[in-house]
Amino acid sequence: MIDPLRIKPLCAGIIVAALASTAQARQELVPSRVDVSPVVVKAINEPWLKPDERRDLRIRHGQWSDDDLNTPARKAQAALRVWNLQDPSLESPEAPLAVRAQALLWRGRPAEAISLLAGCDDAECTLIRAEALEWLGKSEEAKPLLEALRKPAAGAGADVQRAAAQATIELGKIQALPASDWRGAVDRLASAREADRLDPRVPLEEGLLLVDRHNRAEGVPALWQTLSLDPRNSRAWFALGQVALNNFDFDSGARAAERLRLLNPAHPLADLLDAERALLLDDPDRADAILDGLLTREPNFPGALALRAAVAGRRWNPELAQQRLAEFDAKLPGSALALATLGRTLSLNRQYEWGQKALEEAIRRQPAWTEPRGELGYLLMQAGRDKEAVATLKAAAELDPFDTRSSFGLWLMDELSKWKEIESPHFRIRVKPGTDEVVAELMPDALESMYRDVTERFGHEPAQKTTIEVLPDHEFFAVRITGMPGIHTMAAATGPVIALEVPKEGNPKKHLGLFDWLEVLRHEFTHTVTLSQTGNRIPHWLTEALAVSMETKPRTLDTCQLLARSLANGKLFPLDRIKWAFVRPESPQDRPLAYAQGRWMVEYLEWKWGADSVPKLLEKYKQGMDENHAFEATVGVSGDEFFAGFLVWAAEQVKSWGLAPEPSLESLADSVRAKDPVLQLATRQAEQARLDALATFLAQRVGEPLRASETTLLASRWPKVKKPPIEMTDEMVDQWLVEHPDQPDLLELKLRRRLKESPEVDGITRTLLEAYAKARPVDPFPHRIYARGNLTSGNQAEAIEHLKAIDLLEEQDPSYALELARLYRLQKNTAAALKSAEKAARINPFDAATRELAAALAIEAGDLKRARLHIAALARLEPDQKRHSLRLEKLDAMIAGQPATKSP
């Protein structure tokens, strides 16, 4: 028996286990295929069954064929199972009354369902009648009906026990129930399972009960079991799809919709999943189009009406959202579904104030329903309003102590409440007491300097302090960002709150390794500023582009090559497609390309229309304008015109980087092939072989549908010409360099061959280095050679200049910063030495040797308070070393003896 009561509400281990359930699962969340239970097959094939009994079993277990549907009653049962809700059989007087009423209820016609059920008092009719009354806002009339079902007579059969459990679950949406009542519902389902182990409705109810309480780890297997007993169970497929979308698993959500359409090509639940998926993927136009089609067929469909209100919210249109809420209420006046759906969508899109109002109204309307209350708790958490979040989550947990999401939130907030807080003028830093404090204590001054850089760039300051939560490992980070789409690897910003893992070496399952936390926080705080500046309405690609543009790390050679290659191959994303590279990448390079291209487009925007064009554009997004209108209003051109101009500018950029050399090495090689008869023949044969391979490739694809997601894969498999190789001799390279002295590929080839033969930098090598650095300025290779040579020769000043260029590109390896600190110290430039040492300490904050160096340099620079931070870190990192406490005492005395200074 799957028992939700096994969950311990405040147990961190269970929380993490639930979050990790995907990795633990042995099968896909939404199965590509389902194997029917052998027990079901055996039951259907028992030889003593009469033909009609066998037909009924096949319908019960989703194994029917058209021949089995030989009566209106059987046709209606099958139609209901696949949600073919307009099938004529569902209006036949010969169809079971409960089946016909259930179809009406699912179609959003509760009053008709109640009228049809007049005179029917069995358990199934009573459940449908009670739910219909709830939809109509008549919960008080529904309560006694449900109460009457909750206590079946001793020895009652499986159907009665299951109905009793369902009645309790339904009553829990109307009024608060004690934990004993929920245990009673679980016991009823256990009794129903014991009475009939082949009934697919029992694991279905268990699965729905569990996933509704966000217990994916146990709820999903129950839904899988349902499908093994009845692979045509629409509600199980839909529930799995919803679990997938709630966890931003878009591929699984799409697979659930596909499976539903195999049951019914016009399946309304498939449309609902597709519309929600489009909304989560930030495509409100597509979501509305899907819902409009569904509502044309089923104008009262509850889920579609509710989701339409949410789509209006994502369109940043309060008037339209209110209109759609009113349309929902006119048809289903007792439900808070539309308000809760709107509130969740607004929360995901960081529209905290508006989302809060929607969720609070949902709670007012259905105070016993925990879903909107839990959603509100998480909204308040992400908005940094901890006390309100705790109160809301506590209320949700009291209503339903087995809702794991509320337990997650309460556990997390309880943990965070015990953490140390460090305040600065614009930041509140939270850190777990212990060694992680050595990271947080370095942050205030660096963050305040960063604050000035970012807010001056965009001309905007957030209205409240930004909370930085310094999290110890992957596990805690996973819990903290539960419910947030589009997260980063080591950090995530909700707007007012930024979650950051500590940089630490160790088990890769727990830690990400070393990185410069200040560089990461510059990126994340830029999100905070631009989200605040636009009311959280900035397009995904632009908030990422601006965040990357605020990083101090220059564009790397790899990134330049990616951009140059993509430009040459026509693979750069137009404005209307770049957002999909973040949320729905088709190849591994799509997301890094989107980050790099976004930053590149921002550079073009500011180059062409000035630095103030960015704040002006952000203001248009705050007003709710879409991409094209925002661009036209800001710079006077459409998005398409902007992109066309960007491509021209980008081509010039690539040339200035030395990544579009003319002639190319390939064209030079072709000139050699053209002069050699043997190579000419081999080239023609290679071209013919490509044509033959292309014909074979296309013939193999005849009749196969092409999905958009396959285009990148097909491009990688597209036959290419395999030209005969040529050897570029030194004589060839020298001759070509005479003709093309600035060709960077030739210069690099000559340079690398020269260094292989003679590693020392002599006059000829230096000339080549200078020429190559000028021809391809984005390649740090010359800096590495110069730095190595100058360090060997003892030319510290020259070495420093080249090491600085290399260190600017580095945010994961502290060795360059440490070497710079050493060299600066030798040159008596203690301020610069300390700056480099502190970069190394940011990248590797737990390294005692780095802290020793930083402390010594701070003392030499006369910054005793800064030295104290590093000595205090050493005391935490090496608690058994008594010398650190003695050094702290001496430093404190020295600090106390210093004359007071005014803050700058």
Side-chain angles (χ1 to χ4, degrees), residues 84-211:
N84 186 6
L85 302 179
Q86 296 183 19
D87 191 273
S89 64
L90 289 169
E91 296 182 2
S92 171
E94 298 179 46
L97 204 58
V99 169
R100 294 158 58 195
Q102 184 67 74
L104 288 169
L105 186 59
W106 284 348
R107 296 179 71 183
R109 294 157 64 178
E112 294 173 65
I114 291 171
S115 177
L116 181 64
L117 291 171
C120 179
D121 295 322
D122 64 25
E124 199 165 359
C125 289
T126 302
L127 279 171
I128 296 170
R129 183 184 291 110
E131 188 177 354
L133 288 168
E134 291 175 55
W135 283 111
L136 293 171
K138 299 178 180 180
S139 297
E140 292 303 316
E141 294 181 39
K143 285 181 183 179
L145 299 176
L146 296 170
E147 288 285 5
L149 292 177
R150 292 178 63 205
K151 299 176 181 178
D159 287 348
V160 175
Q161 295 284 4
R162 176 177 49 78
Q166 288 178 272
T168 299
I169 294 167
E170 198 63 35
L171 188 62
K173 299 175 184 177
I174 301 174
Q175 65 185 39
L177 296 178
S180 58
D181 283 9
W182 291 110
R183 290 190 181 92
V186 172
D187 291 342
R188 300 297 180 203
L189 289 173
S191 297
R193 180 188 288 273
E194 290 298 321
D196 186 351
R197 291 189 171 273
L198 293 185
D199 188 350
R201 294 172 295 180
V202 176
L204 174 66
E205 293 301 331
E206 289 176 341
L208 295 177
L209 174 66
L210 289 160
V211 298

Side-chain angles (χ1 to χ4, degrees), residues 559-615:
T559 299
C560 291
Q561 290 172 328
L562 173 63
L563 290 169
R565 188 168 58 249
S566 300
L567 175 67
N569 296 332
K571 298 294 185 181
L572 292 180
F573 303 107
L575 275 177
D576 61 353
R577 283 189 51 231
I578 190 169
K579 67 180 178 182
W580 302 118
F582 290 103
V583 297
R584 197 165 59 196
E586 294 181 1
S587 76
Q589 81 165 22
D590 277 5
R591 189 172 281 119
L593 174 59
Y595 277 103
Q597 183 189 328
R599 173 185 178 179
W600 212 16
M601 290 197 295
V602 167
E603 288 179 17
Y604 169 65
L605 176 67
E606 294 182 317
W607 172 84
K608 178 76 172 176
W609 288 282
D612 63 343
S613 59
V614 169

Side-chain angles (χ1 to χ4, degrees), residues 276-317:
E276 185 173 358
R277 181 169 175 262
L279 185 58
L280 289 170
L281 287 168
D282 203 27
D283 193 349
D285 290 342
R286 182 166 179 265
D288 254 344
I290 294 169
L291 293 172
D292 286 346
L294 174 53
L295 289 168
T296 298
R297 304 193 309 273
E298 293 290 350
N300 301 308
F301 200 73
L305 292 170
L307 200 56
R308 277 184 91 236
V311 176
R314 172 52 193 86
R315 290 186 181 281
W316 323 131
N317 191 330

Side-chain angles (χ1 to χ4, degrees), residues 129 422 451 570 790 824 886:
R129 183 184 291 110
I422 302 171
Y451 181 92
N790 286 311
Y824 279 129
L886 296 175

Side-chain angles (χ1 to χ4, degrees), residues 303-595:
L305 292 170
L307 200 56
R308 277 184 91 236
V311 176
R314 172 52 193 86
R315 290 186 181 281
W316 323 131
N317 191 330
E319 293 77 16
L320 181 60
Q322 198 58 43
Q323 175 189 325
R324 290 180 173 181
L325 287 172
E327 291 170 0
F328 181 93
D329 287 344
K331 297 176 180 180
L332 302 163
S335 174
L337 177 64
L339 286 161
T341 307
L342 171 63
R344 179 175 187 269
T345 298
L346 293 171
S347 177
L348 289 175
N349 286 279
R350 299 178 175 93
Q351 300 293 300
Y352 296 129
E353 183 177 349
W354 185 9
Q356 180 181 353
K357 290 178 181 178
L359 291 169
E360 285 176 343
E361 177 58 22
I363 293 167
R364 186 198 65 76
R365 186 173 294 190
Q366 282 187 256
W369 186 23
T370 57
E371 184 66 22
R373 206 177 292 268
E375 194 66 56
L376 177 59
Y378 269 79
L379 178 152
L380 294 167
M381 281 173 57
Q382 309 302 359
R385 294 159 59 184
D386 298 348
K387 291 182 180 179
E388 295 170 78
V390 168
T392 303
L393 291 169
K394 186 176 181 181
E398 287 172 352
L399 280 171
D400 187 347
F402 309 115
D403 181 357
T404 62
R405 181 174 62 170
S406 299
S407 301
F408 289 176
L410 282 174
W411 172 80
L412 176 64
M413 299 312 292
D414 181 62
E415 284 291 303
L416 292 177
S417 69
K418 303 170 187 174
W419 286 16
K420 180 178 179 179
E421 291 192 359
I422 302 171
E423 296 273 350
S424 74
H426 298 102
F427 296 93
R428 179 176 63 144
I429 304 160
R430 278 177 164 174
V431 60
K432 186 177 182 179
T435 56
D436 288 352
E437 291 181 55
V438 305
V439 181
E441 286 168 347
L442 274 181
M443 287 184 170
D445 289 346
L447 290 180
E448 289 300 326
S449 176
M450 175 201 75
Y451 181 92
R452 291 190 293 272
D453 290 347
V454 178
T455 56
E456 287 175 7
R457 159 88 184 276
F458 298 106
H460 177 81
E461 295 186 53
Q464 64 188 85
K465 281 189 177 184
T466 301
T467 298
I468 310 289
E469 294 176 350
V470 182
L471 307 178
D473 51 37
H474 288 341
E475 206 169 68
F476 211 105
F477 184 74
V479 177
R480 184 63 182 98
I481 52 80
T482 295
M484 289 173 54
I487 63 169
H488 295 291
T489 306
M490 71 281 290
T494 67
V497 179
I498 298 172
L500 171 81
E501 276 195 46
V502 294
K504 183 179 284 188
E505 294 178 304
N507 184 346
K509 293 183 179 179
K510 287 197 68 176
H511 302 293
L512 285 161
L514 303 183
F515 59 89
D516 186 346
W517 53 255
L518 181 57
E519 196 74 354
V520 172
L521 288 179
R522 284 182 74 90
H523 182 110
E524 298 301 330
F525 182 63
T526 302
H527 286 316
T528 296
V529 171
T530 56
L531 288 169
S532 169
Q533 191 166 5
T534 60
N536 299 331
R537 294 176 177 182
I538 184 172
H540 191 158
W541 77 267
L542 184 57
T543 188
E544 296 296 352
L546 293 174
V548 176
S549 76
M550 278 306 304
E551 296 171 12
T552 61
K553 176 183 174 181
R555 195 178 279 113
T556 65
L557 174 62
D558 286 345
T559 299
C560 291
Q561 290 172 328
L562 173 63
L563 290 169
R565 188 168 58 249
S566 300
L567 175 67
N569 296 332
K571 298 294 185 181
L572 292 180
F573 303 107
L575 275 177
D576 61 353
R577 283 189 51 231
I578 190 169
K579 67 180 178 182
W580 302 118
F582 290 103
V583 297
R584 197 165 59 196
E586 294 181 1
S587 76
Q589 81 165 22
D590 277 5
R591 189 172 281 119
L593 174 59
Y595 277 103

